[in-house]
Amino acid sequence: MDLPVNTFKRRLEAGERQIGLWLTLANPFAAEAVAGAGFDWLLLDMEHSPADVETVLAQLQAVSAYAATPIVRPPTNDAVVIKRLLDIGAQGLLIPYVQSAEEAAAAVAAIRYPPRGIRGVSASTRATRFGRIPDYGRRADTELCLLVQVETEAALQHLEAIATVDGVSGVFIGPGDLAASMGYVGQPGHPAVQAAVLDAISRLRRLNVPAGLLTGDAAFAEACLAQGAGFVAVGVDAAMLARAADALAGRFCAPSDPTGG
């Protein structure tokens, strides 16, 4: 049994653009329902969802039969949480709120075994196919993809240093938190915020480092792709469900108080 190939990482390195979908419903059945839709990657979110490690395990199992590559966002840049996610078979991680090159380097250390890192060793995990993958410890790095999330004005000042840390495969620009740090909380579409995102993409492109983001604004997604973004998520499962429900209810149901009052 061989080490699974990380298609997302391979395509990222080849400079191919990849379109993703954000999953916050924290449910394996819902994850499988969208896994076959045609997206290149699926973000399994633990930072802003009820998901825990067992939830993510079930989601990874549910989407494993499909072509879309799962990427997991842990709730924080924590070596213990990262170790557990890697052990259950996550091959792609998006680390939130990275503010410096030192924090990026800490995330890299968390995914690497000693002597290059601090990842704890266990031979019988889902990642090793329960001990069936030869030399997993020596070869795991080749298929692990570490993305770091830069989402404040302060972090953007250190963008080049963060992006060029050895072991970082790409940088994700978070428009929502960036907007808040710029004084435009709840306004990721503000022109100043969008200009900052586009500038960050250009800076990363000059470094030949893949850039990514999440946006529900189709026009802005296209602008970011045209600017050179390599991995862009264009929707969130919970929002899609809510808006579709709103539209259907709006067509067939009388207006009501959504609070039940």
Side-chain angles (χ1 to χ4, degrees):
M1 186 170 289
D2 205 359
L3 186 66
V5 173
N6 189 330
T7 305
F8 176 87
K9 183 177 182 181
R10 295 285 170 268
R11 294 183 62 189
L12 207 63
E13 293 170 339
E16 299 180 33
R17 81 177 195 179
Q18 299 180 81
I19 305 300
L21 183 67
W22 215 260
L23 307 188
T24 63
L25 291 174
N27 180 279
F29 195 75
E32 186 173 8
V34 299
F39 293 100
D40 300 303
W41 57 284
L42 303 172
L43 192 289
L44 312 183
D45 195 11
M46 296 177 72
E47 184 186 14
H48 291 296
S49 86
D52 57 21
V53 174
E54 287 195 31
T55 306
V56 172
L57 169 59
Q59 289 177 298
L60 290 172
Q61 292 168 327
V63 305
S64 63
Y66 301 87
T69 299
I71 297 169
V72 182
R73 180 166 72 170
T76 186
N77 187 2
D78 181 277
V80 174
V81 176
I82 289 171
K83 172 179 61 179
R84 297 188 70 195
L85 293 174
L86 294 176
D87 282 352
I88 64 171
Q91 287 188 303
L93 296 176
L94 172 60
I95 308 301
Y97 208 77
V98 172
Q99 293 286 93
S100 66
E102 290 76 18
E103 291 182 8
V108 172
I111 74 167
R112 289 176 170 173
Y113 289 117
R116 301 174 66 215
I118 61 170
R119 180 182 174 186
V121 179
S122 178
S124 297
T125 63
R126 183 172 183 267
T128 70
R129 294 299 188 262
F130 306 97
R132 298 185 180 98
I133 297 177
D135 297 325
Y136 173 85
R138 181 177 57 83
R139 299 189 295 137
D141 281 5
T142 61
E143 302 302 335
L144 295 182
C145 181
L146 182 73
L147 309 170
V148 296
Q149 189 160 336
V150 173
E151 47 191 329
T152 67
E153 279 193 296
L156 284 181
Q157 293 176 11
H158 306 292
L159 181 61
E160 284 76 10
I162 292 170
T164 53
V165 168
D166 177 58
V168 170
S169 297
V171 176
F172 182 94
I173 311 299
D177 283 285
L178 178 59
S181 80
M182 295 175 65
Y184 303 111
V185 63
Q187 302 178 66
H190 190 283
V193 178
Q194 293 192 340
V197 172
L198 292 170
D199 177 67
I201 293 170
S202 295
R203 290 162 64 188
L204 291 167
R205 188 175 184 182
R206 288 195 291 271
L207 296 170
N208 199 31
V209 174
L213 72 149
L214 163 67
T215 178
D217 181 336
F220 187 57
E222 292 288 357
C224 290
L225 289 166
Q227 194 81 349
F231 57 107
V232 177
V234 293
V236 179
D237 60 354
M240 293 163 59
L241 176 62
R243 298 296 79 74
D246 289 346
L248 192 61
R251 180 172 180 178
F252 289 103
C253 303
S256 63
D257 183 347
T259 67

